[in-house]
Amino acid sequence: MILTPGLKQYMRDEPEIGEGLKKKSVMGRLGNPEEIAEAVVFFCSDRASYINAQLISVDGGRVLA
C-alpha cells in the first residue's frame, strides 16, 4: 500500500483499517509515493542502462509476506 491522498482520506475515515494495513506490512509502515518515484527515476537513468526485462516489486516486502 502506498500512502496516496486517497488512502490518507480513507484512513482518516476508517482508522482501524489503516492500522490493519500497517500491521500487514513487513516493514510495519505504508510506502510513500516518493519511494516509487525513486525507483522509476533510477530505471530511467543511465545507471540502469544494462538492466532490462526485470520485474521489480517496490512494495516494502509485501510479496514475501
Side-chain angles (χ1 to χ4, degrees), residues 1-49:
M1 285 287 184
I2 302 301
L3 199 52
T4 62
L7 184 57
K8 286 179 185 178
Q9 180 62 48
Y10 182 64
M11 289 172 58
R12 278 192 292 271
D13 295 343
E14 304 287 337
E16 67 280 355
I17 299 293
E19 286 305 311
L21 291 172
K22 289 177 191 175
K23 287 179 183 175
K24 287 183 180 181
S25 171
V26 173
M27 296 181 74
R29 66 177 181 84
L30 302 177
N32 293 308
E34 295 82 8
E35 292 171 304
I36 303 301
E38 289 291 336
V40 171
V41 169
F42 171 74
F43 286 110
C44 290
S45 76
D46 289 339
R47 293 180 4 194
S49 65

